[in-house]
Amino acid sequence: MSSDRALLHALAELKANPEQSAAVLETGHCAVLAGPGSGKTKTLTTAMARVLVQDVVDPRGVACITYNNECAIELETRLARLGVTPGGRAFIGTVHGLALSQVIGPYARCVPVGLPPNFRVATRSEARAAVEAAYRNAINGAEDPHRRWEFASAKRRRDVDRTRPEWRGRNPELTVFIEAYEAELRRQGLLDFDDMPLLAYRMIKENLWIRDAIRARFPVLFVDEYQDLGHALHELVLLLCFEGGIRLFAVGDADQSIYAFNGANPELLESLTHRLDVRTIRLRFNYRSGAKIIRASLGALGEERDYRGVDGAPEGDLSFWPVLYGHDSQAQAVADSIVPKLIEQGFELGQIGVLYRAAWLGDKVATALKNADIPFARTDGNALVKRSSRLARFIEECARWVTGGWRDVDPPYARLLSTASTLVFGRHISEREEQELSATLMAFLNASIGSNETTHAWLQRFSRDLILPWRGVTRNSEQEWNICAEMITNTEPARNLDFPLAHFAGRIEGTGRVSLSTLHSAKGREFDAVIMYGVNASDIPSERDKRTPASLREARRLFYVGVTRPKKHLSLIYQEHHHSPWVVELYQRSQRD
């Protein structure tokens, strides 16, 4: 199907939903409030494709900011089906990626920001050393400098505009600490990830010509998951869109704001809806979950919302599993009772997700499933693959290509080459560099077809044949090459961790394996059946959650995120007579007609 036909088909599909259709056709500033399962990504990608075809004249394009690289990959995949290839007229990436590739990289040599031409991103150890040096120089106290830096870092992310009085007037000792830390980084020609949007903001604010240059290239800015992106993004939006003339299309849901520890603030999205120059559109239909699960989710949230299921969709079902004892017994019940019961009901392993608060709880479930010989894949902090890493996902897709994808063009080689080009050279690559990169990549891939290597052996060769030469020529300042080494360690045969490459390749879709995920990592995903594990009074909410009204509210939103992941079935497991108080509200709400 051609790109024009694909777009027309997508627009026709959205006509059945007046809110989605209105959002896609909007030509002014627009904030789309999209509840769980409401077709957010479809609305966003269709709007991007329509704008590129109908509103923005080539060679101008659009930029789309996402929460992490995993979200960017999902958007790129969806847009490819509509004939939109990223890297040309469409930038898709994180706010850090936008700041680095579209502002700092091109213009840092033109304005005084204290960075040398060969600047790079600080490693974790370099950043920690800079914190310690700054603490000695600026404060020279007796406390742990990294503990103090937690407060300084929060201020740094919050007070983006340093011309405002609160920069020096509120906690001035933290201001001194932050400035000493940044001076130490600059002395070494470094910047860190928080630096990127902050530096970009100051460069644009102090040099209007940079803002004009960005508007000339990207007259429309799309933002996905606005509620998760924090103060730096919000200040950039105010500067670029409401002062600089770029059109804004923002999508988000304040009810799913669960990243306060990274500076997220749901009030920033809500503030957009109060502006007279922004049209607010609410997506009310939930295409994911059955009506019973939708009702239960509102009990989990503790607030009323005008969400509704689709006529004719199954009701969905809930089950409650009280267990006599704590986490170990509950994990055993997941493996011995709940998963087998779901299989008996016709659910496939690859469409079952087990969700929990923290990765250490995932260890308990993983052990129980392994002992029961139930295959699983983890997407938490103890996973083989970091879902937010573009390199890790690229390695997975290469594995998928060599284990059969080359035959059915899934993934297409062009996408592999485009991703490799971005990883190695950033957004700018010459024809000769692309030809050399393609030759190296294709030689490796062809040598892998039919090799019968295990995952560990294949990863070792990937590191030797691709990572090693690419590290020597890279112009990409973002450091993540060590991801491959971590994957090699995590598949060590001596520790009985190795497995067939075909299994690793299938991990992209989760085929045939139960997915284990923290509630945070599950955001944006969906499963036919979800098991929420450890829904105990002491865990959801925890004592830490109860310290402030804001933290308690975020914990409730996190619970809501978990409850809204399933399409057909939700199981909650907890210690008998010690369940979360929110379970009762969820049950009561689910029973309403």
Side-chain angles (χ1 to χ4, degrees):
M1 185 182 295
S2 69
S3 58
D4 286 348
R5 287 179 59 198
L7 174 60
L8 290 174
H9 180 72
L11 291 171
E13 282 187 332
L14 293 185
K15 285 184 178 179
N17 183 313
E19 289 99 354
Q20 286 182 320
S21 186
V24 167
L25 297 175
E26 177 59 41
T27 57
H29 295 313
C30 184
V32 180
L33 304 184
S38 61
K40 168 186 72 71
T41 304
K42 184 175 184 178
T43 303
L44 176 64
T45 51
T46 305
M48 287 181 65
R50 190 202 67 76
V51 167
L52 283 168
V53 170
Q54 299 179 359
D55 295 357
V56 177
V57 178
D58 193 1
R60 305 178 82 192
V62 301
C64 180
I65 295 175
T66 67
Y67 178 68
N68 57 30
N69 285 326
E70 183 187 357
C71 296
I73 292 168
E74 171 66 15
L75 290 179
E76 289 172 1
T77 302
R78 297 279 195 101
L79 282 166
R81 298 170 190 159
L82 296 173
V84 176
T85 303
R89 295 176 62 207
F91 168 88
I92 305 172
T94 64
V95 65
H96 303 87
L98 178 83
L100 188 62
S101 67
Q102 306 300 321
V103 183
I104 300 172
Y107 305 120
R109 300 183 188 186
C110 306
V111 296
V113 294
L115 285 173
N118 60 339
F119 73 86
R120 62 180 177 82
V121 180
T123 63
R124 179 180 174 83
S125 60
E126 288 171 332
R128 287 180 63 85
V131 166
E132 293 164 7
Y135 185 80
R136 287 193 302 271
N137 296 334
I139 299 177
N140 198 27
E143 63 183 317
D144 178 358
H146 300 289
R147 174 62 178 159
R148 190 64 174 161
W149 180 249
E150 291 179 11
F151 297 97
S153 183
K155 175 181 174 63
R156 188 179 180 219
R157 288 194 297 263
R158 182 184 63 246
D159 294 342
V160 178
D161 188 346
R162 297 184 180 180
T163 65
R164 295 174 185 164
E166 54 265 30
W167 172 243
R168 297 199 177 277
R170 184 167 55 193
N171 298 320
E173 74 284 355
L174 295 181
T175 300
V176 174
F177 191 7
I178 294 166
E179 290 176 343
Y181 166 76
E182 292 174 349
E184 180 63 23
L185 288 183
R186 300 298 178 271
R187 186 183 65 79
Q188 301 179 57
L190 302 173
L191 76 167
D192 69 5
F193 277 92
D194 281 344
D195 260 328
M196 296 176 191
L198 299 176
L199 269 179
Y201 173 82
R202 292 201 291 275
M203 289 171 65
I204 295 168
K205 186 176 178 64
E206 294 168 7
N207 302 274
L208 295 184
W209 63 270
I210 296 179
R211 186 184 68 187
D212 294 340
I214 295 170
R215 184 180 67 235
R217 184 173 184 188
F218 302 124
V220 184
L221 174 66
F222 292 83
V223 183
D224 188 23
E225 303 287 9
Y226 198 99
Q227 76 284 347
D228 292 334
L229 289 162
H231 290 268
L233 178 278
H234 186 66
E235 294 289 347
L236 275 171
V237 164
L238 296 179
L239 192 60
L240 291 172
C241 299
F242 301 115
E243 294 181 34
I246 293 176
R247 189 207 306 175
L248 173 67
F249 188 101
V251 181
D253 181 11
D255 291 335
Q256 296 186 73
S257 179
I258 56 173
Y259 295 105
F261 57 87
N262 275 340
N265 183 350
E267 294 178 1
L268 301 178
L269 172 61
E270 292 171 356
S271 71
L272 292 182
T273 68
H274 298 152
R275 294 184 62 103
L276 297 178
D277 53 354
V278 174
R279 181 181 181 185
T280 300
I281 298 175
R282 299 177 186 274
L283 304 185
R284 296 172 297 154
F285 288 95
N286 184 327
Y287 293 94
R288 174 189 300 153
S289 304
K292 192 171 185 178
I293 295 175
I294 295 172
R295 292 196 300 269
S297 72
L298 298 180
L301 183 63
E303 296 182 23
E304 291 297 321
R305 295 288 184 268
D306 185 24
Y307 294 145
R308 60 194 67 179
V310 181
D311 290 342
E315 272 275 289
D317 198 15
L318 286 81
S319 61
F320 300 84
W321 296 79
V323 174
L324 281 176
Y325 302 109
H327 294 122
D328 290 332
S329 296
Q330 293 164 45
Q332 201 64 46
V334 169
D336 294 346
S337 301
I338 305 181
V339 171
K341 182 71 172 178
L342 290 172
I343 294 172
E344 183 182 305
Q345 294 173 357
F347 291 98
E348 297 180 4
L349 286 177
Q351 286 301 321
I352 299 173
V354 184
L355 312 183
Y356 36 82
R357 281 296 297 264
W360 66 271
L361 291 169
D363 293 342
K364 295 181 179 296
V365 179
T367 298
L369 292 177
K370 187 172 184 178
N371 291 339
D373 201 27
I374 297 174
F376 61 89
R378 299 184 67 166
T379 56
D380 57 24
N382 291 336
L384 168 64
V385 175
K386 296 181 178 179
R387 289 178 64 83
S388 62
S389 164
R390 184 176 290 271
L391 176 59
R393 295 303 294 264
F394 171 71
I395 294 172
E396 285 185 342
E397 290 214 318
C398 286
R400 186 175 175 183
W401 195 90
V402 303
T403 54
W406 60 272
R407 189 181 297 110
D408 50 17
V409 199
D410 182 25
Y413 176 74
R415 189 167 84 205
L416 295 181
L417 180 59
S418 174
T419 303
S421 300
T422 302
L423 285 168
V424 180
F425 296 108
R427 298 286 169 180
H428 307 286
I429 181 172
S430 68
E431 184 176 348
R432 180 184 61 80
E433 288 171 334
E434 185 175 60
Q435 289 173 349
E436 292 176 353
L437 185 73
S438 181
T440 304
L441 177 61
M442 184 56 77
F444 171 80
L445 295 176
N446 284 337
S448 300
I449 296 173
S451 68
N452 294 320
E453 291 170 299
T454 65
T455 299
H456 183 77
W458 184 81
L459 288 170
Q460 286 183 312
R461 194 162 57 80
F462 191 103
S463 179
R464 183 181 65 250
D465 293 357
L466 295 182
I467 299 296
L468 188 62
W470 287 354
R471 291 186 75 159
V473 298
T474 184
R475 289 198 299 270
N476 191 338
S477 302
E478 298 186 57
Q479 302 291 321
E480 64 169 1
W481 298 112
N482 62 323
I483 292 292
C484 189
E486 292 177 12
M487 295 167 74
I488 291 170
T489 299
N490 291 339
T491 56
E492 175 57 56
R495 295 161 55 203
N496 196 30
L497 298 175
D498 202 3
F499 51 90
L501 184 61
H503 289 188
F504 173 66
R507 240 281 290 125
I508 293 177
E509 302 297 337
T511 304
R513 297 182 174 205
V514 175
S515 291
L516 307 188
S517 175
T518 61
L519 290 166
H520 282 98
S521 294
K523 187 170 179 292
R525 304 180 69 192
E526 62 183 24
F527 306 91
D528 284 348
V530 163
I531 303 167
M532 290 189 66
Y533 159 69
V535 192
N536 306 308
S538 55
D539 296 317
I540 303 178
S542 67
E543 289 304 313
R544 184 170 184 170
D545 294 329
K546 299 173 185 176
R547 290 180 183 175
T548 67
S551 60
L552 184 61
R553 185 70 198 125
E554 173 147 322
R556 184 138 198 170
R557 292 196 296 265
L558 185 62
F559 183 54
Y560 172 71
V561 164
V563 171
T564 54
R565 297 310 94 196
K567 299 177 184 178
K568 302 175 182 177
H569 188 94
L570 173 65
S571 296
L572 296 102
I573 184 166
Y574 45 81
Q575 187 173 344
E576 191 171 14
H577 307 305
H578 189 63
H579 54 69
S580 165
W582 299 333
V583 170
V584 176
E585 297 179 55
L586 180 151
Y587 173 79
Q588 292 174 341
R589 191 68 171 76
S590 70
Q591 299 306 302
R592 296 184 188 178
D593 294 330

